[in-house]
Amino acid sequence: LYEAEALCESAAQQHALSSWMQQHPQPPAPCMVAGARPATLDEARVMRDKLLQTLAEQCQDQSLPTGPGYIPVITIDGGRPSLSVDVCNVPDSMMRSRYDGNETLSPVGEELRARVETASGHAGVRVEAVDLESDLQRGIRRLRTHSQRLHEHLDAA
């Protein structure tokens, strides 16, 4: 019964997001060169703040759905910072699960990712990746974090 309820809720979210995407067509991306990869951590922080402001404005302009959350993330890779966007609170049905454990995006998920990339281009910021996290993935991540902390407390005791 719980699984059926979760599937119904996810399907309702997917339908609402699909309907929203159809009712709010995205204008074509502007012909502009996105900003280069940040060279320093301070430059990456400025780009992250600018991107966060632009994404918030895009949501208010109804260019991006307000259901998912958009979080610019700075990653230090090999001493050089890079910028990506994590999109959370995505309906599970936007991800088509496969038996090998991987997930592929549905067409609506691909369009949502493209809209975030377009919003980044509007901000003049080049992002390395746009990662969508489904409700199920978020729940599993939270359980793993909770389990890890519980084991740390038990080991310390």
Side-chain angles (χ1 to χ4, degrees):
L1 185 60
Y2 173 76
E3 289 181 13
E5 182 181 351
L7 284 172
C8 288
E9 181 179 351
S10 183
Q13 290 174 334
Q14 169 72 8
H15 175 71
L17 193 53
S18 299
S19 299
W20 187 94
M21 293 278 196
Q22 291 172 353
Q23 294 168 1
H24 298 83
Q26 177 76 357
C31 294
M32 60 187 292
V33 178
R37 182 177 180 172
T40 65
L41 188 57
D42 288 336
E43 186 179 328
R45 287 186 179 125
V46 170
M47 293 176 83
R48 179 200 60 193
D49 294 342
K50 181 179 179 184
L51 180 57
L52 184 60
Q53 178 181 357
T54 302
L55 290 172
E57 291 170 357
Q58 290 270 332
C59 288
Q60 291 173 356
D61 292 343
Q62 294 189 341
S63 298
L64 289 173
T66 54
Y70 309 96
I71 309 166
V73 176
I74 300 172
T75 306
I76 305 297
D77 184 20
R80 293 203 59 194
S82 64
L83 194 64
S84 61
V85 179
D86 286 350
V87 184
C88 50
N89 299 330
V90 176
D92 295 329
S93 54
M94 285 184 66
M95 314 281 191
R96 290 196 299 266
S97 296
R98 299 193 315 224
Y99 291 111
D100 60 3
N102 294 323
E103 292 183 321
T104 55
L105 287 177
S106 69
V108 176
E110 292 285 356
E111 184 179 346
L112 179 58
R113 174 183 279 164
R115 287 182 185 224
V116 174
E117 290 171 349
T118 300
S120 303
H122 283 294
V125 174
R126 191 184 99 199
V127 294
E128 297 297 316
V130 177
D131 299 314
L132 274 63
E133 181 182 53
S134 69
D135 294 330
L136 178 63
Q137 290 172 319
R138 186 186 67 210
I140 290 172
R141 180 175 49 81
R142 286 182 176 175
L143 282 174
R144 284 184 182 149
T145 303
H146 179 70
S147 175
Q148 182 180 4
R149 288 184 184 160
L150 186 61
H151 285 292
E152 289 172 0
H153 287 298
L154 289 174
D155 291 342

